[in-house]
Amino acid sequence: MADKEKSGNAFVETVKTIVYALVIAGVFRTLFFQPFWIPSGSMKETLLIGDFLFVNKMAYGYSYASCPSLMLPSYGIEVDARDVCGSFDGDNTRLWGGEPKRGDVVVFRHPVSGRDYIKRLIGLPGDTVQVKQGLVYLNGEPVKVEDAGTFTEKMTAQGPQRLRPRCENGPVGEGGSCEKSRQTETLPNGVSYPILNIANQQSDNTGVYSVPAGHYFFMGDNRDNSADSRLAQQVGGVGFVPYENLIGRADRIMFSSAGRSMLFFWTWRGDRFFKGVE
């Protein structure tokens, strides 16, 4: 009888430990840092497919979007941030809110789909943004760009989704050298970063966007391979992103895997451990 009681108590203690661990992890993820795995090439070369980073949630304060979502559709699990913290949605404000800076790399919640996106903040509330022949104009003035050579990567399937890169140098065979023109773009506040060009396309020439109060305009660094604020939410883009939809700032890459899984340690990129995001 005593052995059964000990066994029962041990089981209860194990369950308690697991529950406490999950609660602590949930609180940590909600208030401090959220892990983020880069699934696409829209932010190359700043962020590569397979980069694993933590998002600083303290940078901009907290809103309903700070609550974690758990999306595992293959297991029938789809817990959205609105399911947990939806009662705080709708006023476009934040608790202990901090203002994002132009040039920040930000994880935010898509205004329609609710999925997490990561892009660079280009336009602040009250700004006008336009793209002409691939060049960004902020408030009527062209953003400074300088040629920075060529970005080269291997033509091969990348990441769990096995995505293949687009190349400026035309169709490239398996294992070949996929090239894109690289430029350094410098925003009015002095933030500089590389941007890539693949082709002359519709998103290189846009109308004038007037960023409304309480909203932000985002673009991917891989300009011709990014669904961002240049496209309306209804046609696959993100449009203007409300302040309350910001989740946090990407500050540092912890490690990076060039393979199908972060568990494949032999595919880890040794030069990206603890690399700062600029």
Side-chain angles (χ1 to χ4, degrees):
M1 188 68 175
D3 289 340
K4 286 184 179 180
E5 288 181 358
K6 288 181 180 179
S7 177
N9 290 338
F11 176 76
V12 170
E13 291 303 317
T14 300
V15 171
K16 284 183 179 179
T17 300
I18 293 173
V19 170
Y20 292 154
L22 290 174
V23 170
I24 293 170
V27 171
F28 184 87
R29 181 176 175 180
T30 299
L31 296 180
F32 303 112
F33 297 97
Q34 175 175 317
F36 193 85
W37 178 264
I38 302 300
S40 75
S42 69
M43 282 295 293
K44 290 177 182 176
E45 69 184 89
T46 303
L47 298 173
L48 303 179
I49 294 175
D51 282 351
F52 182 83
L53 49 86
F54 282 101
V55 178
N56 181 359
K57 288 191 166 186
M58 297 176 286
Y60 309 134
Y62 305 96
S63 71
Y64 86 95
S66 302
C67 286
S69 298
L70 183 59
M71 297 295 179
L72 299 171
S74 57
Y75 295 95
I77 300 174
E78 294 193 25
V79 180
D80 186 77
R82 275 201 175 96
D83 298 331
V84 182
C85 298
S87 59
F88 300 104
D89 182 18
D91 57 4
N92 202 25
T93 60
R94 307 181 71 86
L95 179 65
W96 302 317
E99 293 296 326
K101 296 181 176 61
R102 199 190 308 275
D104 284 357
V105 176
V106 180
V107 173
F108 58 87
R109 179 184 169 89
H110 190 287
V112 176
S113 71
R115 301 298 184 184
D116 291 349
Y117 275 54
I118 185 165
K119 306 288 179 186
R120 190 176 297 276
L121 198 163
I122 300 295
L124 300 173
D127 282 345
T128 62
V129 184
Q130 185 176 19
V131 183
K132 295 191 287 187
Q133 297 183 344
L135 182 62
V136 174
Y137 285 72
L138 276 174
N139 301 315
E141 297 294 327
V143 170
K144 179 183 177 183
V145 294
E146 296 178 335
D147 289 335
T150 303
F151 173 77
T152 303
E153 60 184 333
K154 186 177 179 181
M155 171 53 73
T156 188
Q158 301 178 358
Q161 300 180 51
R162 314 310 290 153
L163 301 177
R164 293 181 178 275
R166 292 175 59 203
C167 312
E168 187 180 17
N169 56 327
V172 175
E174 182 68 23
S177 179
C178 177
E179 299 177 355
K180 301 173 181 63
S181 296
R182 180 202 286 122
Q183 293 178 307
T184 299
E185 184 171 87
T186 303
L187 295 173
N189 62 347
V191 176
S192 296
Y193 46 87
I195 59 172
L196 305 181
N197 180 72
I198 301 170
N200 212 355
Q201 57 189 46
Q202 185 177 356
S203 58
D204 289 327
N205 294 279
T206 73
V208 177
Y209 303 95
S210 296
V211 185
H215 291 72
Y216 298 89
F217 189 98
F218 289 92
M219 295 177 69
D221 291 351
N222 191 2
R223 290 289 161 79
D224 295 335
N225 195 46
S226 175
D228 50 40
S229 292
R230 290 171 290 177
L231 286 174
Q233 300 159 6
Q234 293 78 10
V235 292
V238 301
F240 301 122
V241 178
Y243 181 44
E244 67 181 353
N245 281 44
L246 307 186
I247 294 174
R249 186 181 64 217
D251 289 337
R252 189 167 300 277
I253 299 164
M254 303 308 293
F255 69 91
S256 181
S257 171
R260 298 184 64 174
S261 170
M262 65 179 179
L263 300 178
F264 295 172
F265 62 87
W266 58 91
T267 66
W268 289 1
R269 301 177 177 109
D271 61 339
R272 298 185 73 78
F273 280 88
F274 308 112
K275 179 180 174 66
V277 177
E278 299 177 354

